[in-house]
Amino acid sequence: MSSYSEDDAFEAAARPLSQRAMPQRSAGPYLEGLNDAQRAAVMALNGPVLMLAGAGTGKTKALTSRIAHLLVTGTARPQDVLAVTFTNKAAREMKNRVGRLMGETVEGMPWLGTFHAICVKLLRRHAELIGLKSNFTILDTDDQIRLMKQLIIAAGIDEKRWPPRMLAGIIDGWKNKALTPDKVPLAEAGAFDQKGVDLYAAYQRRLLDLNACDFGDLLLHMVTIFQTHTDVLEMYQRRFRYILVDEYQDTNVAQYLWLRLLAAAHKNICCVGDDDQSIYGWRGAEVGNILRFEQDFPGATVVKLEQNYRSTEHILAAASGVIAGNKGRLGKTLFTEATGGEKVRLIGHWDGEEEARWIGEEIEALQRGTRGLEKVSLDHMAILVRASHQMRAFEDRFLTIGLPYRVIGGPRFYERLEIRDAMAYFRLAVSQDDDLAFERIVNTPKRGLGDKAVQTIQKAARTNGVSLVEGARIVVQAKLLGGKGLKELAQLVDGLDRWHAQVRSEADTHQELAEMILDESGYTGMWQNDKTPEAPGRLENLKELVKALDNFENLQGFLEHVALIMDNETEQEGEKVSIMTLHAAKGLEFPAVFLPGWEDGLFPSQRSMDESGVKGLEEERRLAYVGITRAEAICTISFAANRRVYGQWQSALPSRFIDELPEDHVEVLTPPGLYGGGYGAAGMAGSASPKLREESMSDLHQKAHDANVYNSPGWRRLQARGQQRGMAQPVEARNMVIDMSAVSAFTTGDRVFHQKFGYGVIEGIEGDKLDIAFDKAGSKKVVAKFIVAADAADDVPF
Ligand code: ATP
Ligand code: MG
């Protein structure tokens, strides 16, 4: 410890007299648990420090030890330290860790938290400088959108050209870049034309009138205050004597400026991060911030950490193999002393339900310790998904087998806003007495039926002792509302009657009906027109909801299932397996990790491939790296050969990232349930990729054989094993129908097949609805996408 005392003496001399007069406590055992590089980062208290290092190398541990060191040595008091983390969970964790390291509970640490949490606190103190009162309200997204809509209408702009949600997204982007309306550069404004900037300015003015701000303002206002009020900035530069930032690679421009302003005087800023884990580019994060650190803070101590303490060699090698595919990276060497252990396990499944079933069994086996491995507690297992809609299959499965789980970083599937809305429509289709459901959807999507209209409906219902749907009917008949609202209400009542009749007549499959309800009510359209980053996810969730219906006889049965799930909602004590998105898993670690859904189009996501090209793909690859490096001992990657969308099978290609896994560190568990040693005709017509769909079947076949993934060692191994063991065919495959997406290919007279009604001939075509004379079920109108050509149906390899 001699080097420690020298440094300590140096630091003591650098401290102000008032501090040096304080009694000092001796350094705790926290230093002993660190390697040399980490210790160097902890001890270099003054001046800028950058820890740029790979996953699991103990960056967060070093950062936390640094806080402990600052406090224990009396170099800083808790209130002198500004420590920023990315999530509330991480902030709580950090506070606890500091406490543990010091062997006592930490009093205070008022400035340890997320950017937003810290900025709210600051802004309350200085609100008046920006024209707000200190009791300002923070708007949620709904309020924000409503406000924007009012402004758009007031400006006489066509709402269709400037959908409020699109505007919200644009403004949010500007705020992430710390651009106030007067600072939006012409080039940027040009892309959205000057109107966007004018609306932004009007929106900001209106927020001030309302004594309100939105989420993005919290940082933006603080940056503005620091930039325009030197006295305030200087006060905080003096107060926050030491600044620490975790996950620095994911800061956006506003956060970066805020930090730079605060650190400008004393430069006691320690940032830790990993360029390979930058996964928030889509939200305005700039990985460049971390790469620029040494320019921003010349003379910075740069600490390299290379030993990974989290994962076994196989897991680390697999992660390194994948991330090596990225061009734009610094490149780091990582090693671990944890030699041996399980290789990364890879398994292909027939479909997503099969994947969920297998993972459920695997989790139970690990829990019992029957995998030839040590027992693993449920708390120590996690399923990390790319898209939140993937959670549905796991939640349904785990509820069925009674496996306790928790969803981290978001509501559980059936608690999501869009799912509750959609379910309310379904409930009303089944029972028109469901007043709660009616209240939920009467003005969702917006129908001009505000509080007043709802009161009129309620009054009509109460006076006549009938349900709200009946009340609405009375309002329509007696014309108790004016103009647009009345017309819309009439349409809604019509729709509800129609859907209710369809539920009873069972004319369509309940999946078709569900889809029809969501379309005809305008609910799907509402999210399609929504330009916020969450909207595509919500649409995916709706698709997933319709898919879930497939497991039930009818809507009623499904609603009962969900009601039971909701009843289970009360939090139970005890061990639980965690389900979360890869994004939410940042910084966390688990002994056993499952990574399902590694299929092109899902992961990497279709959008990242379509829209952002190489940049998007590289961010997805970093996400894969984050996923694998969460695992300590067991990492299982899986994919499904088929996914069902709207009850139709679509084949999926294994993710390109699978092919990038280094062979020596991967063990292939079982063959995928594929036919004839390749993707059978089953999948061909319904490829997930629209581009592929356009190609003819034989082309595809050829492509599939030529594609790298099929020639990869991993794939060949899959095939070889498959032949050895014979390919089991899951039961569900029997219900398989092919998605013939080429709707336009149908003409009258075509012979077609429908899952429920069997074979028939097309008699008429109206948009995407077809009149079909079915051999057995008679004449019916059905949605085109539920139909396949009869000869294609014959090809289904049952
Ligand atoms: P990520 O990039 O995923 O955020 P990280 O670099 O922040 O990872 P930590 O979470 O700090 O890594 O550490 C990973 C694991 O290694 C933790 O369980 C931690 O306790 C352990 N660890 C870190 N440093 C050491 C060390 N010097 N000796 C033993 N274990 C360590
Ligand atoms: Mg960390």
Side-chain angles (χ1 to χ4, degrees):
M1 295 294 275
S2 62
S3 64
Y4 167 63
S5 19
E6 279 165 30
D7 282 356
D8 195 40
F10 169 77
E11 275 158 20
R15 284 186 291 127
L17 280 176
S18 60
Q19 290 286 317
R20 283 157 61 189
M22 295 266 293
Q24 278 193 43
R25 286 170 285 184
S26 63
Y30 55 85
L31 287 174
E32 283 153 28
L34 301 175
N35 62 32
D36 289 347
Q38 286 173 318
R39 201 171 302 134
V42 170
M43 311 284 278
L45 287 183
N46 291 304
V49 177
L50 173 68
M51 247 186 283
L52 183 56
T57 50
K59 297 184 295 296
T60 303
K61 185 178 166 104
L63 197 80
T64 319
S65 306
R66 198 176 149 90
I67 299 177
H69 190 56
L70 283 165
L71 301 181
V72 167
T73 55
T75 313
R77 298 162 304 168
Q79 63 269 34
D80 300 333
V81 178
L82 173 68
V84 196
T85 65
F86 215 74
T87 58
N88 290 318
K89 187 174 161 64
R92 264 197 314 277
E93 176 69 12
M94 189 171 284
K95 214 172 251 185
N96 292 339
R97 276 212 217 176
V98 173
R100 277 203 301 276
L101 289 173
M102 295 177 62
E104 57 191 88
T105 44
V106 190
E107 293 299 325
M109 293 294 301
W111 303 106
L112 189 160
T114 61
F115 280 104
H116 285 119
I118 291 170
C119 282
V120 176
K121 238 170 161 174
L122 292 175
L123 193 56
R124 292 248 181 251
R125 296 178 172 194
H126 303 285
E128 79 289 348
L129 297 179
I130 214 91
L132 288 169
K133 297 195 199 88
S134 71
N135 64 349
F136 61 84
T137 43
I138 305 170
L139 296 191
D140 63 19
T141 321
D142 279 357
D143 296 332
Q144 207 182 331
I145 300 294
R146 208 168 309 132
L147 196 59
M148 289 198 185
K149 188 173 170 172
Q150 287 169 9
L151 293 168
I152 290 169
I153 294 171
I157 298 171
D158 183 2
E159 214 191 303
K160 292 213 178 64
R161 230 189 115 221
W162 277 97
R165 283 176 194 272
M166 179 181 88
L167 183 63
I170 295 170
I171 291 181
D172 204 47
W174 282 329
K175 288 185 176 175
N176 284 341
K177 290 187 185 159
L179 296 171
T180 43
D182 54 310
K183 289 202 191 124
V184 176
L186 276 180
E188 282 240 11
F192 306 107
D193 85 33
Q194 185 60 33
K195 278 211 182 74
V197 183
D198 293 344
L199 285 170
Y200 179 19
Y203 172 68
Q204 292 302 88
R205 279 195 301 274
R206 188 85 185 94
L207 284 178
L208 292 186
D209 290 345
L210 294 168
N211 189 31
C213 69
D214 64 21
F215 232 58
D217 280 337
L218 298 174
L219 260 146
L220 179 72
H221 285 334
M222 280 321 299
V223 169
T224 309
I225 291 173
F226 286 162
Q227 283 170 336
T228 50
H229 294 82
T230 331
D231 52 330
V232 178
L233 175 63
E234 282 171 359
M235 180 171 84
Y236 286 105
Q237 285 174 338
R238 280 194 303 274
R239 170 160 313 172
F240 301 140
R241 296 179 41 237
Y242 291 92
I243 301 176
L244 303 98
V245 191
D246 201 358
E247 308 279 2
Y248 189 58
Q249 77 280 356
D250 279 323
T251 46
N252 63 32
V253 173
Q255 293 162 338
Y256 166 79
L257 287 176
W258 183 84
L259 286 169
R260 239 182 46 173
L261 286 163
L262 283 171
H266 55 59
K267 301 192 172 57
N268 291 331
I269 180 166
C270 171
C271 292
V272 317
D274 177 3
D275 57 311
D276 286 336
Q277 294 186 65
S278 154
I279 53 176
Y280 280 94
W282 56 286
R283 264 212 219 150
E286 298 264 347
V287 65
N289 294 342
I290 197 164
L291 305 178
R292 215 175 20 229
F293 188 86
E294 286 182 78
Q295 287 160 35
D296 289 339
F297 298 100
T301 307
V302 179
V303 177
K304 248 167 99 179
L305 304 176
E306 296 190 326
Q307 178 163 4
N308 173 298
Y309 290 94
R310 178 180 295 148
S311 315
T312 61
E313 58 168 340
H314 293 304
I315 292 171
L316 196 59
S320 306
V322 170
I323 197 66
N326 271 7
K327 294 223 164 54
R329 62 189 291 257
L330 295 177
K332 306 177 208 75
T333 350
L334 286 183
F335 72 95
T336 172
E337 286 176 356
T339 49
E342 291 289 300
K343 290 186 175 182
V344 169
R345 307 181 317 158
L346 175 66
I347 181 165
H349 297 284
W350 171 257
D351 68 5
E353 305 294 325
E354 172 67 25
E355 181 181 51
R357 188 166 31 242
W358 184 83
I359 289 180
E361 281 166 15
E362 199 62 13
I363 287 172
E364 288 183 325
L366 286 172
Q367 188 189 17
R368 286 194 303 268
T370 52
R371 269 288 167 271
L373 305 165
E374 268 181 46
K375 282 188 187 181
V376 187
S377 149
L378 290 183
D379 285 337
H380 292 160
M381 294 189 245
I383 299 174
L384 312 181
V385 296
R386 172 65 186 90
S388 62
H389 68 84
Q390 285 174 266
M391 293 179 186
R392 200 275 313 159
F394 294 103
E395 292 191 52
D396 271 353
R397 183 69 198 154
F398 296 172
L399 284 160
T400 307
I401 61 174
L403 184 69
Y405 70 91
R406 64 169 80 80
V407 171
I408 293 184
R412 309 201 299 180
F413 184 79
Y414 291 110
E415 290 161 22
R416 290 170 199 278
L417 170 95
E418 65 278 13
I419 300 303
R420 283 178 180 260
D421 286 346
M423 298 290 292
Y425 276 105
F426 299 165
R427 277 158 53 188
L428 277 172
V430 170
S431 157
Q432 296 208 336
D433 293 330
D434 196 331
D435 284 357
L436 285 175
F438 181 84
E439 279 176 11
R440 184 170 182 108
I441 56 89
V442 61
N443 203 27
T444 308
K446 298 272 179 285
R447 298 189 171 91
L449 298 166
D451 291 348
K452 243 175 125 187
V454 172
Q455 278 162 19
T456 311
I457 298 169
Q458 279 164 340
K459 202 165 148 217
R462 247 196 334 269
T463 322
N464 294 285
V466 290
S467 68
L468 287 179
V469 174
E470 289 308 315
R473 200 186 310 283
I474 294 167
V475 168
V476 170
Q477 278 158 5
K479 297 198 169 45
L480 299 178
L481 288 176
K484 179 172 177 268
L486 186 71
K487 203 169 138 237
E488 292 266 354
L489 187 63
Q491 249 180 34
L492 177 64
V493 172
D494 270 359
L496 289 173
D497 288 346
R498 205 167 50 246
W499 306 323
H500 186 51
Q502 270 157 319
V503 167
R504 286 196 295 196
S505 76
E506 296 193 352
D508 306 279
T509 68
H510 56 292
Q511 278 184 301
E512 281 171 275
L513 178 59
E515 207 193 330
M516 200 183 293
I517 293 173
L518 296 178
D519 280 349
E520 292 182 0
S521 61
Y523 192 70
T524 310
M526 178 180 105
W527 291 116
Q528 279 163 346
N529 293 329
D530 186 318
K531 296 292 178 267
T532 53
E534 300 88 50
R538 295 196 194 275
L539 284 166
E540 288 291 333
N541 286 338
L542 290 174
K543 273 194 207 166
E544 188 63 35
L545 177 69
V546 175
K547 187 158 114 188
L549 284 168
D550 196 32
N551 301 327
F552 299 86
E553 278 284 299
N554 49 34
L555 267 187
Q556 177 93 52
F558 178 63
L559 292 174
E560 274 162 20
H561 166 78
V562 178
L564 289 175
I565 290 179
M566 299 311 234
D567 198 39
N568 266 345
E569 224 172 89
T570 39
E571 273 291 302
Q572 289 163 356
E573 293 294 306
E575 294 178 6
K576 294 189 190 86
V577 59
S578 302
I579 309 179
M580 71 193 89
T581 61
L582 287 162
H583 281 99
K586 200 165 65 142
L588 306 182
E589 58 189 20
F590 300 89
V593 168
F594 290 88
L595 301 169
W598 280 42
E599 296 131 38
D600 265 10
L602 183 54
F603 188 41
S605 73
Q606 193 63 44
R607 245 184 331 148
S608 73
M609 296 190 297
D610 291 347
E611 289 169 19
S612 343
V614 172
K615 204 164 147 243
L617 197 61
E618 294 213 335
E619 181 147 317
E620 295 285 300
R621 197 175 276 115
R622 291 193 291 270
L623 208 44
Y625 175 78
V626 168
I628 300 172
T629 54
R630 297 310 96 198
E632 293 170 17
I634 305 171
C635 177
T636 310
I637 295 174
S638 57
F639 62 93
N642 298 282
R643 294 249 169 217
R644 254 173 301 177
V645 179
Y646 287 128
Q648 304 294 323
W649 288 92
Q650 299 199 338
S651 76
L653 295 176
S655 168
R656 62 196 64 195
F657 300 149
I658 288 184
D659 206 32
E660 295 171 4
L661 294 166
E663 186 180 359
D664 292 349
H665 301 281
V666 176
E667 184 190 0
V668 178
L669 290 186
T670 52
L674 300 175
Y675 302 93
Y679 281 95
M684 288 304 158
S687 163
S689 146
K691 187 170 158 286
L692 288 179
R693 264 193 242 138
E694 284 163 15
E695 316 203 15
S696 74
M697 221 121 116
S698 57
D699 271 346
L700 259 171
H701 231 133
Q702 197 52 45
K703 274 221 166 101
H705 277 296
D706 295 343
N708 274 341
V709 67
Y710 295 94
N711 296 326
S712 69
W715 185 256
R716 279 203 299 273
R717 243 184 354 252
L718 279 173
Q719 300 290 355
R721 295 250 190 144
Q723 274 149 22
Q724 275 165 26
R725 297 189 198 176
M727 300 227 188
Q729 196 170 310
V731 186
E732 296 87 273
R734 288 196 215 114
N735 300 325
M736 196 174 59
V737 176
I738 303 167
D739 169 24
M740 294 297 289
S741 341
V743 171
S744 55
F746 290 127
T747 46
T748 43
D750 279 0
R751 191 154 173 77
V752 293
F753 177 79
H754 182 273
Q755 193 172 9
K756 183 171 173 186
F757 307 131
Y759 290 93
V761 173
I762 298 184
E763 296 196 313
I765 299 178
E766 189 186 309
D768 67 339
K769 303 228 168 65
L770 308 174
D771 288 317
I772 299 176
F774 288 101
D775 299 353
K776 295 208 175 104
S779 290
K780 295 201 180 301
K781 207 185 240 336
V782 293
V783 182
K785 76 168 80 147
F786 290 100
I787 290 296
V788 298
D791 52 354
D794 294 338
D795 284 345
V796 177
F798 293 146

